[in-house]
Amino acid sequence: MAIRINGTDVQAPSDPRVSLLDLLREELHLTGTKKGCNQGACGACTVLVDGERVVSCLALAVQYEGREITTVEGLSENGALHPLQEAFVEHDGFQCGYCTPGQICSAIGMAGEAKRGVPSHVTEDLSAETITLTHDELRERMSGNLCRCGAYNGIVAAITETFVEAGE
Amino acid sequence: MSIIEQAKQAAQGVAQTVVQKAVELAPESWLPGGKPDPLIHQKHGLIGKPVSRIDGPLKVQGKAPFAAEFPMDGLTYAAVAFSTLPKGRIASLDTSEAEAAPGVVLVMTYRNAPRMKAMPVFMSEAKAAGGDNLPVMQDDRIHWNGQPVALVLAETQEQADHAKTLIRLTYEAEPATTSFAEAKAQGTHPGLFMGSPMKQEIGDAEAALAAAPVKVDVTYTTPRHSHNPIEPHAATIVWQGDDLVVHDASQAVTHTAWSLGNIFGIEEAQVHVTSPYVGGGFGSKTLWQHQVLGAAAAKLAGRPVRIALSREGVYRMIGGRTLTEQRLAIGATKEGHFEAIIHTGTAPMTHHNAMPEPFILATKSAYAARNFKLDVEVTYLDMLANTFMRAPGESVGTFALESAVDEMAVALGMDPVELRAVNEPEKDPTDNKPFSSRNIVEAYRTGAERFGWSKRNPVPGSVRDGEWQVGMGVATSTYPYHRMPGGAAKLTLTRDGRMQVEIAAHEMGMGTATAQTQVTAERFGLELDQVSFAYGDSFLPGQVLAGGSQQTASIGASVVAAQHALVAELLKLAGNDSPLAGLRADEVGGMEGGLAKLDEPGRHETYASILSRAQRDEVSVVASAPPPLETMHWSMHSWGAMFCEVRVNSVTGEVRVSRFLGSFDCGRILNAKTAASQFRGGIIMGLGMALMEETQFDERSGRVMNPSLAEYHVPVHLDVPEIEVMWTDIADPHAPMGARGIGEIGITGVGAAVANAIYNATGKRIRDLPITLDKLM
Amino acid sequence: MIPFTYARAANTADAVVHGSAVGTKYIGGGTNLVDLMREGIEHPQALVDVSGLSRDINETADGGLLIGAGVKNTALAEHRLVRTRFPVLSRAIVAGASGQIRNMATVGGNLLQRTRCTYFYDDTGARCNKREPGQGCDAVDGFNRIHAILGASPACVATHPSDMCVALAALDAVVHLEGAGGKRTLPFNELHRLPEGRPDIETLLEPGELITAVELPAQPMAAHSTYRKVRDRASYAFALVSVAAALEVDGGMIRDVRLALGGVAHKPWRAWKAEEVLRGQPASQQLFQAAAEAELANATPLRDNGFKIELAKRTIIAVLGDLSGVSA
């Protein structure tokens, strides 16, 4: 069984030690997904697996056979930036750009979670069917993505514009 | 001898004091910055506009290539093994099992590493870039716990990482000094910063303090910090014959190239260092042992090498900010006038570097006082060399100074903003130079108004919201204007009216490429898309460190110099048939795609027209910036006022920063969007310093115990409120573009603003960073 | 990471057959195990992937829940019945780790995650009895701000890092196991051990035994429950202290209570003593204080973690105050 990455089938690595992150970066040269800590602590390696955000550094690639992976390289359609990518540029949601692909993938997964009502640490009403991404909700849910340059305000603004104000 | 020539000699260490004096007394018009940059007067163009980053689309798509992402045929992967004791020697070493492991190409230890010179330690020479000057894997000696003792190259990273664990090492321990108290007991020594002692006495500060009717005399402590850029240090390295190519993550490409040449005994020109994108640096991305080891291994193996440090590897091999213990004493009159300021203390460093954390720097220029006693003493530990981290000195020094000023305000029963205004100096209080531009009172006024400072209840512990105690605090932020020698730029103008700027500068996210594109377009009367900015390559002109918040000034002065040369060249080419005929270079400026007489814009000819008449496809110049004499004549600093509101949980002691505002006076702001991000980024790192950051150094073993982003806490999204930033935008008449640095000031003053707000919220004065919840329970 | 073989288990029986071999470990989401393997602390020769097994959450006949060990943390936290009947569990889960990790981590793996003691993590540079029995413990006299105040031993002062487990401890969960010897169940509160002389042995699992499910018995009181976590930053940090509590108050009297603490001991700490003080008494701040004092009476501070004793007491009192509506 293959791993489907941005629409293309890829064979799982023969060495089961290879993480999904290293498969992407070293074997497929999809270096948009970044390695920040290799221990699940920074979120720079976030990708979407069947639409759900995960940290690819802690994922052994062999475990992902039969799954569909979307990386930052798979977000733009026909060469056009994803609206969230546009918003990151507009709101200066990054400085060095290293955590950025992870922030973007994470935000896309996060928006889906909120839409289907997954509660967070700051959710007051656990029975809510869907979550409104308030400033606190959004920041709590994005807290797995570190940005050492400190572009958090811009990141929040970009996500808000894309997923809250746009009414998605 | 011209003053410029004299200064060049001074920079080489000849007759420095004489020149210093001469420059202080020299007429302003003789000096760089003596005549304001004409760009300052252009108010309605591109300067200051919130232009989005030109590299933004690449970065959001993950298409910007970082150091560990350069593909190469036959690439090998490196893994590094680290020592586990702080001092001693390797007693036995067995690499046979590692060498036999699958995929292993090379195991390098001191036994087979090529002979290399030590790294030239940063600041020891103009282009020295090394974090320490220890032998790099040349002998069996161990100098710190975490020192690289072996390097494995393998076909894959997984194989290298595994083989590394198969190296068998034993050590013979020697007595080491790893405790700060023990080191202090062995004696302290005056810290030498850039060759000068960090020591200054004016008047008799102790006596003035003793005699002062109101005094504060306390000790503040700050722990070790780690830069923690999200991109770990990495390099992709290949030898092409005797030439070395290093794709590095660097904030000092030229320095690194020169230093590597020195280490390997080859010419600087044989070393090509590129660093197009850097995933954060904050002072850490200079030359450390990993690039040297990577190059050595590549040489030995005859294969290209990727050395991408693990996060633990970064903590073991890349120095951070050292700890400080600072005495801060202020003696004041009952009206609040400071009579004496004493700022002394101790910071550990190593015998192998040149970085006494200069925590007194901000105190030198902050407040009017007649008596000063300033002193940074150092002690020596057997540890990884400490280094520069965002606002070295000022970040932790302002925590002490600005907390003490707040304590003084409490002692006086005075508003802390008012107290600062009362002590506003007319000229630099410790070196007597005039300020080039200082509008900090204005920054305080506008900041206080926007923040709602007047709503603060001055009585500590009086505002409550449920479980939460609420308070406000304020502190001054400050960082000097620097411009280091060695700036140079190449300008190439082509017949289609496009301009390329080439300079060995760096883009670590500061927005350099974008802001400098704006500035260049404005200078030459071009559109943004007609200008391209090439940087991050040691083969380009100039030695422009991305450090000391000086890159913008250095590039600015270099481009100004190149502009003069280019305009002169263009006027020559324009000849007698041009509307510009007969004009001198200083009479014309760039306007609407060409040159025009400054006071008679009708006399204009486009670049395209000049070049095509001269039958030239392009014209190109290289020029060097003049030496940075302006800083010898004026006291030049960026300033700011930091306002903070905190909520402290009365049950648990948890602190949440609920509001923050930075009001800055940093000269002209070149790009409102990227500058705001620089300010906010500094402030957020300051929040981390205030509340959670500490590199845990086990004083028994000299080992860092939290070498991980899980255990070394940096602020996450939820820790960071919306941070408001504003600025005076008052141009500094003596700085290129009127702009002073903005990269480091953001972190300064934040620790104190938070601590002062916590005091206002709870009545608890915390003098020891980070302010974790246990200190507030 | 040492080389290892990887196999995906087709079903539980298949997993148990393969999992019984020496040097074999089960892998779920891998969020802890992969990290520990990379750090050289775990070195299995074979991995059996059980992440695809038992992914269901079923209501039991009595109104409890049977949660498959392969259920992802996020799926459990968002489950409608968990949110309404066992809010403490939902809240504990979302207080832990990050959104990405909760999407990967499984229930079974969460139970078996290992301590965050930094000396445990330093494979080459520090001594640790948990990693290497008999080696000694560098944490006892080192950085131990995050370490245990209850139930520790001279051999080990580490804490259990899970948030979810604190809720499970309060909810009297039952762990379903399957091994070579067949199926059995174990009360959750007996699953984890205190360190004593063998901190390397963390649970009562037999070699090769697989956690297949966690059962939550029906507990009407659990609908009135919560979780409070205190940590060093606002999010994405391990607990210094956490409290899971469920309370049944009737006419001002505490009919029943479930209370557990996190971040204080080698295992999720069920606060039996505090419960005993509380049960059947009129709710008051004094009572909560007495309960907290009783639970922490035997707490032992180390160099850096003495504050946890007071913090645990305060957090217990605050949580009980919130749930009972009796505040200071």
Side-chain angles (χ1 to χ4, degrees):
Chain A
M1 224 187 322
I3 308 171
R4 198 162 179 82
I5 297 175
N6 298 331
T8 303
D9 281 344
V10 171
Q11 284 310 306
S14 53
D15 185 345
R17 292 178 296 186
V18 176
S19 67
L20 183 55
L21 174 61
D22 285 331
L23 173 71
L24 294 170
R25 286 174 64 82
E26 304 301 336
E27 294 187 26
L28 306 175
H29 300 294
L30 290 171
T31 53
T33 307
K34 302 302 182 191
K35 186 184 280 189
C37 69
N38 218 24
Q39 55 193 172
C42 77
C45 64
T46 303
V47 299
L48 299 167
V49 175
D50 301 328
E52 302 284 317
R53 54 180 174 158
V54 304
V55 282
S56 60
C57 71
L58 294 181
L60 295 178
V62 284
Q63 287 196 281
Y64 288 78
E65 283 182 309
R67 313 289 292 275
E68 192 155 335
I69 317 294
T70 306
T71 71
V72 70
E73 288 93 345
L75 294 181
S76 38
E77 278 180 32
N78 306 322
L81 295 186
H82 185 283
L84 184 61
Q85 291 173 316
E86 296 268 15
F88 263 67
V89 175
E90 173 60 28
H91 292 279
D92 216 29
F94 54 94
Q95 290 203 55
C96 76
Y98 198 79
C99 75
T100 313
Q103 300 272 1
I104 288 172
C105 288
S106 182
I108 291 170
M110 183 275 301
E113 290 162 15
K115 203 170 172 180
R116 66 169 203 257
V118 176
S120 87
H121 176 58
V122 300
T123 304
E124 282 184 17
D125 178 10
L126 279 190
S127 64
E129 296 283 342
T130 178
I131 304 288
T132 305
L133 286 174
T134 61
H135 191 234
D136 279 358
E137 280 285 3
L138 204 165
R139 289 185 301 144
E140 159 60 21
R141 288 162 189 271
M142 288 300 294
S143 283
N145 289 85
L146 306 183
C147 171
R148 188 57 160 165
C149 296
Y152 290 131
N153 284 187
I155 294 167
V156 169
I159 298 171
T160 302
E161 181 186 281
T162 308
F163 292 119
V164 184
E165 288 162 11
E168 275 202 40
Chain B
M1 194 167 21
S2 78
I3 201 156
I4 303 270
E5 280 306 311
Q6 285 181 34
K8 278 184 186 157
Q9 290 199 7
Q12 289 154 13
V14 186
Q16 188 142 8
T17 25
V18 177
V19 172
Q20 169 95 34
K21 204 75 214 161
V23 173
E24 278 172 25
L25 299 174
E28 294 188 359
S29 60
W30 292 13
L31 297 168
K35 262 171 61 183
D37 186 340
L39 215 52
I40 290 173
H41 303 296
Q42 279 163 249
K43 299 281 189 206
H44 305 293
L46 287 165
I47 308 279
K49 290 280 175 299
V51 174
S52 291
R53 286 169 200 273
I54 54 179
D55 52 8
L58 275 186
K59 285 180 174 175
V60 297
Q61 297 177 86
K63 287 182 179 168
F66 290 85
E69 296 168 2
F70 283 79
M72 269 184 201
D73 289 335
L75 189 65
T76 60
Y77 292 82
V80 185
F82 306 108
S83 77
T84 55
L85 83 174
K87 197 172 181 182
R89 49 176 290 276
I90 297 170
S92 72
L93 176 60
D94 179 1
T95 57
S96 54
E97 207 182 331
E99 277 158 7
V104 170
V105 172
L106 170 75
V107 178
M108 186 173 80
T109 67
Y110 73 91
R111 288 181 181 158
N112 61 341
R115 294 305 97 185
M116 300 174 274
K117 285 195 205 152
M119 297 190 286
V121 71
F122 194 57
M123 296 214 306
S124 64
E125 292 180 72
K127 288 194 265 186
D132 62 59
N133 61 1
L134 289 165
V136 183
M137 216 173 266
Q138 299 291 297
D139 57 32
D140 61 358
R141 310 299 307 170
I142 302 300
H143 301 274
W144 81 86
N145 196 330
Q147 176 184 317
V149 288
L151 179 145
V152 178
L153 287 188
E155 302 293 346
T156 71
Q157 189 68 56
E158 290 78 13
Q159 291 168 335
D161 288 341
H162 172 234
K164 175 188 87 170
T165 66
L166 303 174
I167 297 168
R168 309 292 167 219
L169 276 156
T170 61
Y171 301 96
E172 198 173 285
E174 288 170 14
T177 306
T178 49
S179 127
F180 182 44
E182 202 182 301
K184 279 192 295 180
Q186 292 167 7
T188 66
H189 311 272
L192 289 175
F193 189 63
M194 302 170 94
S196 311
M198 296 297 293
K199 205 169 191 144
Q200 188 172 13
E201 289 208 47
I202 297 172
D204 187 342
E206 296 286 1
L209 176 70
V214 188
K215 51 192 136 218
V216 166
D217 189 350
V218 284
T219 300
Y220 299 91
T221 51
T222 64
R224 291 173 173 80
H225 296 131
S226 297
H227 310 75
N228 276 316
I230 301 296
E231 177 203 27
H233 295 60
T236 305
I237 301 169
V238 64
W239 287 88
Q240 295 171 342
D242 289 335
D243 293 351
L244 177 60
V245 179
V246 181
H247 298 294
D248 198 7
S250 176
Q251 52 193 99
V253 287
T254 312
H255 300 67
T256 298
W258 180 86
S259 298
L260 284 171
N262 206 288
I263 292 161
F264 286 96
I266 54 179
E267 296 299 316
E268 180 181 1
Q270 290 175 269
V271 186
H272 188 190
V273 178
T274 81
S275 186
Y277 296 94
V278 182
F282 317 114
S284 72
K285 285 197 172 140
T286 53
L287 178 64
W288 293 88
Q289 293 197 3
H290 65 285
Q291 296 105 316
V292 179
L293 289 171
K299 193 170 191 170
L300 215 52
R303 301 260 307 260
V305 166
R306 173 162 304 153
I307 181 161
L309 296 188
S310 64
R311 183 56 59 177
E312 182 196 358
V314 175
Y315 277 85
R316 302 267 175 253
M317 289 183 71
I318 312 294
R321 194 198 307 282
T322 193
L323 67 87
T324 71
E325 182 180 84
Q326 306 173 50
R327 176 190 175 205
L328 205 307
I330 304 174
T333 65
K334 284 181 181 151
E335 294 73 37
H337 292 282
F338 294 171
E339 294 286 314
I341 298 178
I342 297 172
H343 194 173
T344 59
T346 311
M349 56 183 274
T350 75
H351 285 293
H352 325 293
N353 66 336
M355 182 50 188
E357 185 74 19
F359 50 76
I360 60 170
L361 288 178
T363 309
K364 288 167 76 94
S365 308
Y367 298 107
R370 281 179 301 166
N371 300 284
F372 281 89
K373 181 178 171 186
L374 308 169
D375 184 16
V376 177
E377 294 284 312
V378 297
T379 59
Y380 297 101
L381 288 182
D382 294 306
M383 64 177 189
L384 168 60
N386 60 299
T387 194
F388 298 76
M389 177 167 160
R390 205 173 201 165
E394 289 85 359
S395 53
V396 290
T398 54
F399 167 63
L401 175 66
E402 292 298 297
S403 291
V405 171
D406 200 68
E407 297 202 45
M408 176 54 84
V410 171
L412 289 162
M414 219 169 146
D415 181 88
V417 173
E418 173 62 17
L419 177 62
R420 288 176 172 91
V422 163
N423 288 286
E424 178 66 6
E426 281 175 19
K427 57 182 179 176
D428 190 292
T430 60
D431 68 11
N432 283 315
K433 286 181 217 158
F435 290 114
S436 64
S437 176
R438 174 167 164 138
N439 307 285
I440 190 170
V441 175
E442 172 71 3
Y444 262 107
R445 191 186 60 73
T446 53
E449 199 177 293
R450 181 88 67 93
F451 191 71
W453 179 252
S454 61
K455 296 194 186 78
R456 170 183 182 257
N457 187 328
V459 180
S462 52
V463 181
R464 194 177 255 274
D465 176 12
E467 275 184 4
W468 298 88
Q469 294 181 287
V470 186
M472 292 188 207
V474 73
T476 293
S477 62
T478 177
Y479 192 80
Y481 164 94
H482 289 299
R483 183 164 73 79
M484 297 171 192
K490 179 178 181 186
L491 295 177
T492 303
L493 183 64
T494 48
R495 202 196 281 199
D496 57 359
R498 302 181 61 83
M499 175 78 76
Q500 175 158 40
V501 188
E502 293 170 80
I503 184 161
H506 311 84
E507 173 61 276
M508 307 190 287
M510 307 87 85
T512 308
T514 309
Q516 293 295 345
T517 300
Q518 285 171 264
V519 169
T520 306
E522 188 69 30
R523 269 194 205 287
F524 289 94
L526 297 170
E527 300 296 323
L528 270 181
D529 60 7
Q530 293 176 302
V531 175
S532 61
F533 185 79
Y535 61 92
D537 186 323
S538 66
F539 280 4
L540 300 178
Q543 55 186 76
V544 183
L545 185 77
S549 295
Q550 67 100 37
Q551 198 173 243
T552 297
S554 179
I555 298 170
S558 306
V559 171
V560 169
Q563 182 189 23
H564 287 312
L566 182 66
V567 169
E569 189 67 25
L570 285 170
L571 288 176
K572 248 190 273 172
L573 292 177
N576 293 331
D577 299 332
S578 168
L580 303 167
L583 296 178
R584 293 190 316 272
D586 60 356
E587 292 176 299
V588 300
M591 263 175 242
E592 292 172 16
L595 294 178
K597 186 162 190 278
L598 286 170
D599 55 4
E600 196 185 339
R603 288 183 69 181
H604 176 272
E605 183 172 15
T606 64
Y607 300 122
S609 163
I610 297 172
L611 290 186
S612 72
R613 191 166 61 257
Q615 295 187 316
R616 291 281 292 269
D617 288 331
E618 62 172 49
V619 56
S620 180
V621 297
V622 181
S624 296
L629 301 186
E630 65 272 27
T631 54
M632 292 165 94
H633 189 84
W634 292 280
S635 176
M636 301 179 75
H637 302 263
S638 281
W639 308 100
M642 300 293 202
F643 295 87
C644 177
E645 180 188 88
V646 297
R647 298 162 67 82
V648 182
N649 192 285
S650 56
V651 174
T652 61
E654 291 162 290
V655 179
R656 300 285 179 264
V657 175
S658 44
R659 290 197 301 136
F660 204 100
L661 181 146
S663 175
F664 294 96
D665 176 46
C666 300
R668 189 102 179 261
I669 295 302
L670 302 179
N671 180 321
K673 190 178 285 193
T674 56
S677 291
Q678 279 284 77
F679 288 136
R680 288 196 181 102
I683 289 168
I684 291 167
M685 204 175 276
L687 295 179
M689 186 181 92
L691 296 176
M692 61 192 81
E693 291 190 31
E694 174 173 6
T695 311
Q696 294 175 347
F697 178 87
D698 193 320
E699 292 210 326
R700 300 168 300 175
S701 60
R703 194 163 172 87
V704 172
M705 288 316 303
N706 59 343
S708 124
L709 282 171
E711 265 69 41
Y712 182 106
H713 289 153
V714 302
V716 299
H717 270 282
L718 194 60
D719 290 300
V720 177
E722 273 189 55
I723 294 170
E724 202 168 349
V725 292
M726 55 196 291
W727 45 81
T728 61
D729 212 25
I730 299 171
D732 189 320
H734 307 301
M737 291 89 68
R740 294 189 301 266
I742 60 170
E744 290 168 269
I745 186 170
I747 193 175
T748 71
V750 178
V754 172
N756 297 342
I758 288 171
Y759 175 79
N760 181 243
T762 65
K764 290 180 178 136
R765 178 67 66 182
I766 310 301
R767 302 189 181 97
D768 176 42
L769 295 184
I771 307 176
T772 45
L773 58 88
D774 45 302
K775 296 172 185 172
L776 293 166
M777 281 173 54
Chain C
M1 244 186 248
I2 67 165
F4 57 84
T5 62
Y6 167 87
R8 199 182 290 206
N11 51 50
T12 304
D14 180 43
V16 170
V17 167
H18 289 97
S20 304
V22 175
T24 300
K25 278 195 105 67
Y26 298 114
I27 184 168
T31 53
N32 191 220
L33 182 59
V34 171
D35 186 32
L36 290 168
M37 287 165 66
R38 207 171 267 146
E39 297 288 336
I41 294 156
E42 297 276 8
H43 13 73
Q45 292 150 11
L47 287 184
V48 176
D49 187 346
V50 294
S51 63
L53 310 180
S54 46
R55 307 269 307 245
D56 298 330
I57 303 174
N58 291 311
E59 194 173 355
T60 57
D62 68 348
L65 291 177
L66 188 65
I67 302 157
V71 169
K72 302 289 186 187
N73 284 193
T74 303
L76 183 55
E78 74 173 305
H79 194 274
R80 182 60 46 189
L81 292 179
V82 177
R83 283 195 265 165
T84 51
R85 293 185 192 170
F86 305 97
V88 62
L89 180 56
S90 233
R91 292 213 181 272
I93 292 169
V94 297
S98 67
Q100 292 95 313
I101 288 177
R102 295 193 294 267
N103 283 342
M104 302 170 79
T106 62
V107 166
N110 192 307
L111 268 50
L112 298 180
Q113 64 183 300
R114 307 196 68 189
T115 185
R116 300 302 304 190
C117 171
T118 56
Y119 298 91
F120 169 72
Y121 256 82
D122 190 357
D123 175 40
T124 57
R127 295 178 309 150
C128 173
N129 290 319
K130 186 183 278 297
R131 228 179 34 233
E132 195 103 15
Q135 193 182 39
C137 169
D138 276 336
V140 172
D141 300 311
F143 288 107
N144 47 37
R145 191 167 174 277
I146 63 172
H147 288 70
I149 50 172
L150 289 167
S153 74
C156 183
V157 292
T159 54
H160 195 269
S162 169
D163 291 295
M164 185 176 89
C165 286
V166 185
L168 295 179
L171 292 172
D172 295 310
V174 175
V175 184
H176 289 237
L177 304 170
E178 191 166 336
K183 299 181 183 183
R184 64 171 179 141
T185 60
L186 198 60
F188 178 83
N189 284 306
E190 292 172 21
L191 174 68
H192 296 97
R193 292 180 68 249
L194 287 176
E196 299 173 327
R198 288 299 300 273
D200 55 312
I201 305 172
E202 293 171 349
T203 68
L204 295 190
L205 289 184
E206 298 293 337
E209 215 170 13
L210 176 68
I211 298 174
T212 57
V214 172
E215 185 178 349
L216 297 181
Q219 175 54 275
M221 172 177 54
H224 189 56
S225 65
T226 196
Y227 185 73
R228 182 162 177 173
K229 177 176 182 179
V230 186
R231 47 187 154 178
D232 270 329
R233 61 182 173 191
S235 187
Y236 204 14
F238 291 92
L240 292 166
V241 163
S242 67
V243 174
L247 202 60
E248 184 188 346
V249 187
D250 185 5
M253 294 287 283
I254 297 179
R255 294 282 166 220
D256 206 355
V257 58
R258 297 287 182 278
L259 192 67
L261 307 179
V264 295
H266 195 256
K267 59 182 286 186
W269 189 264
R270 178 70 177 265
W272 304 104
K273 288 179 193 160
E275 288 182 11
E276 208 175 295
V277 172
L278 295 164
R279 209 164 276 127
Q281 300 296 316
S284 72
Q285 282 286 307
Q286 290 77 4
L287 180 70
F288 302 156
Q289 175 88 41
E293 296 290 349
E295 195 59 52
L296 277 301
N298 292 329
T300 312
L302 300 163
R303 186 187 78 182
D304 303 333
N305 71 355
F307 73 96
K308 279 191 176 184
I309 299 174
E310 174 65 14
L311 182 61
K313 288 181 194 171
R314 289 188 187 187
T315 312
I316 291 171
I317 295 166
V319 167
L320 292 173
D322 279 350
L323 281 178
S324 66
V326 178
S327 51

